[in-house]
Amino acid sequence: MWPYYPDLLAAPVPRYTSYPTAAEFGPLSPADHAEVLGSAHGDFSLYVHIPFCEKICFYCGCNTGKAGKRQRLESYLDALCCEIDLVSGLLPFDAYVRRIAFGGGSPNAISPAEFVALVDRLIARFRIDDPAFSIELDPRTFSAEWAKAIGHVGIKRASLGVQTFAPQCQEAIGRIQPESLIERSVDLLRDNGVSSLNFDLMYGLPDQSHEDLHDSIERSLLLEPDRIALFGYAHVPHLIPRQRVIDGGTLPGPVDRFAMASLGHELLTSHGYRAIGFDHFAKPGDPLAQAAATGKLRRNFQGFTDDQASTLIGLGSSAVSSLPGLLVQNEKNSGRYRMLASQGRLTTSVGISRSTEDQLRGRLIENLLCYGRTDIPRSMSGFIRETFQPFIDRQLVLFDGNQLSIRPEGRPYSRAIAANFDAYRPKSARRFSSAV
């Protein structure tokens, strides 16, 4: 369905869940962080990071570690509560939380009772107005007790890490989970009030064939998730040591990866899902599809979202905050995070101030990734014609007047196209993942 031009996909590119990307973060003063928090008026969202999993998957690039001893979890939650108290006290009186997302790791690495207590702490400390809750879950350790906790809190949106149903792929990535386990998790979530359910699926996995991907998508469709995120596996063992367990020789090559992405798009859209951006799909009635249709789709550290808040505050080790004019990341090391938070100090580690130029380029990148088009400032028109000519010549991109548009055939090139607005990328020594 899509034309394949390997030269246009040769350079690794960021996923652009922020601009500038985390690769450009540098040392940042907690005092600067505190000052910006004090001016964060209006509605904002919270992201709460739980950096633990009961079992660690070989492919995973998240900042997470094995749950291990109960004392480790308990001391982390104590530190997280200290951070909640500190950050909530720095915010102005007219700052209100509209959304709360829990991710990791796996939030269900902690107990249901601990989770409910954490939610209670957030509600007690922040000014929260009828928030929309969402949560990421590991089906391997999901239980009926956890489902009841989700119902008690009132969570309507949940995401399950399915990845693949192919047994040999599951074994190769260290994530063995029978189909019956996924079915049970879906039933528990639906029975306890979850109305928007996402499946994370992957292509480009070790020992994965086109038939394996087709089968995993078909099995997923039978369970009727409201959303499906179809990610390409990023094999970067030089950055993520746990990936060294995976034999790179068993991975599909670039041609197969491209064909898998095309297969997934064709199969999901033929079953009524709307394509959102370049790797998400949603049923027409889901809030994500509605946001895309009404011009309210956004992209942040959690991927494509219908969240309209301009401020996202991250809590927990390695959590990232997007504040007006500033991007901030908390200390990644769990031990150091616990020490700083327990001492009543902001756990600020790195970040970057966003200049006016950064914010302009960020909007251009976000518009291209969310909608496949963006209006170009007149001052950039010469740059557009020179930089995008390879994409224009192959009819992947259209530049008409002041609007740059990605044609339907150019969808898999979205990240590569958007990367041309990244003023930092040519200077960055960090390697990213392939565009498809």
Side-chain angles (χ1 to χ4, degrees):
M1 181 183 70
W2 289 326
Y4 179 54
Y5 302 112
D7 57 307
L8 299 182
L9 297 171
V13 291
R15 296 193 65 81
Y16 291 114
T17 53
S18 74
Y19 183 79
T21 69
E24 315 309 332
F25 289 4
L28 186 74
S29 167
D32 292 338
H33 186 186
E35 181 180 356
V36 176
L37 283 171
S39 61
H41 302 279
D43 295 347
F44 69 97
S45 301
L46 287 177
Y47 170 75
V48 185
H49 189 70
I50 308 296
F52 300 105
C53 296
E54 287 292 333
K55 303 172 185 177
I56 302 298
C57 305
F58 307 144
Y59 72 90
C60 182
C62 297
N63 180 50
T64 187
K66 195 168 184 178
K69 297 180 180 179
R70 287 297 311 164
Q71 183 180 359
R72 188 182 180 201
L73 288 175
E74 291 168 0
S75 64
Y76 178 81
L77 291 173
D78 288 343
L80 182 57
C81 286
C82 290
E83 186 187 14
I84 289 169
D85 294 348
L86 176 60
V87 171
S88 62
L90 292 172
L91 292 169
F93 187 75
D94 62 347
Y96 287 89
V97 177
R98 302 294 184 182
R99 293 186 181 225
I100 303 176
F102 298 91
S106 302
N108 55 313
I110 65 177
S111 72
E114 287 170 331
F115 176 71
V116 172
L118 178 59
V119 172
D120 288 344
R121 187 65 164 247
L122 292 168
I123 292 173
R125 294 293 185 264
F126 288 98
R127 283 172 284 279
I128 296 179
D129 186 9
D130 190 26
F133 288 98
S134 63
I135 190 168
E136 299 172 1
L137 297 166
D138 183 343
R140 296 172 298 176
T141 53
F142 190 61
S143 64
E145 290 73 23
W146 247 102
K148 291 177 182 177
I150 283 174
H152 173 77
V153 169
I155 295 177
K156 303 299 182 185
R157 302 182 183 187
S159 180
L160 283 176
V162 177
Q163 318 311 349
T164 177
F165 287 102
Q168 81 280 7
C169 298
Q170 290 185 353
E171 184 172 357
I173 64 174
R175 194 181 183 93
I176 297 174
Q177 45 191 25
E179 185 174 359
S180 59
L181 193 63
I182 306 299
E183 293 173 347
R184 177 175 180 271
S185 297
V186 169
D187 290 341
L188 286 171
L189 289 168
R190 294 296 195 195
D191 290 345
N192 284 276
V194 169
S195 56
S196 181
L197 178 60
N198 174 73
F199 277 13
D200 282 348
L201 298 178
M202 298 186 77
Y203 65 87
L205 293 172
D207 299 318
Q208 187 181 37
S209 67
H210 293 225
E211 292 73 21
D212 291 328
L213 178 61
H214 190 286
D215 180 69
S216 289
I217 293 175
E218 290 282 8
R219 291 175 186 272
S220 296
L221 290 171
L222 291 175
L223 298 175
E224 300 186 273
D226 305 279
R227 305 178 184 180
I228 291 178
L230 181 59
F231 299 117
Y233 167 58
H235 189 60
V236 284
H238 57 289
L239 296 176
I240 304 171
R242 65 174 66 109
Q243 291 187 351
R244 294 170 189 164
V245 176
I246 295 175
D247 180 1
T250 65
L251 298 173
V255 175
D256 278 336
R257 284 178 63 97
F258 191 89
M260 286 179 174
S262 179
L263 168 67
H265 181 277
E266 185 173 4
L267 189 55
L268 289 168
T269 54
S270 69
H271 280 78
Y273 285 77
R274 300 278 175 84
I276 310 296
F278 54 88
D279 58 8
H280 281 52
F281 302 84
K283 290 183 177 180
D286 188 83
L288 194 66
Q290 293 175 350
T294 57
K296 295 183 178 180
L297 186 67
R298 300 290 308 278
R299 186 159 176 81
N300 63 19
F301 293 106
Q302 296 159 60
F304 292 107
T305 178
D306 59 332
D307 187 357
Q308 299 300 297
S310 59
T311 297
L312 171 66
I313 296 178
L315 301 169
S317 70
S318 79
V320 182
S321 298
S322 178
L323 300 154
L326 188 69
L327 299 173
V328 181
Q329 185 169 32
N330 287 352
E331 172 61 49
K332 289 184 179 181
N333 181 275
S334 180
R336 180 163 173 76
Y337 166 83
R338 294 197 303 269
M339 180 191 73
L340 291 170
S342 298
Q343 293 173 354
R345 298 161 60 187
L346 283 174
T347 65
T348 311
S349 175
V350 293
I352 190 170
S353 295
R354 301 178 73 220
S355 66
T356 301
E357 178 74 8
D358 288 337
Q359 293 179 53
L360 168 62
R361 289 176 177 267
R363 285 194 297 273
L364 296 175
I365 290 171
E366 183 178 27
N367 287 341
L368 282 173
L369 296 184
C370 288
Y371 301 107
R373 63 184 183 276
T374 190
D375 291 334
I376 303 297
R378 184 170 299 177
S379 61
M380 283 189 172
S381 59
F383 161 79
I384 295 297
R385 294 191 182 281
E386 178 183 350
T387 305
F388 290 89
Q389 201 61 47
F391 297 95
I392 295 172
D393 289 344
R394 301 184 197 189
Q395 298 186 336
L396 302 176
V397 162
L398 175 66
F399 185 43
D400 184 15
N402 70 330
Q403 188 173 82
L404 182 71
S405 304
I406 301 175
R407 295 176 181 270
E409 298 82 1
R411 182 183 291 271
Y413 299 86
S414 295
R415 286 167 61 196
I417 292 167
N420 286 286
F421 288 108
D422 187 343
Y424 295 89
R425 191 169 65 95
K427 305 172 188 176
S428 177
R430 178 170 177 170
R431 287 183 56 82
F432 300 100
S433 61
S434 60
V436 176

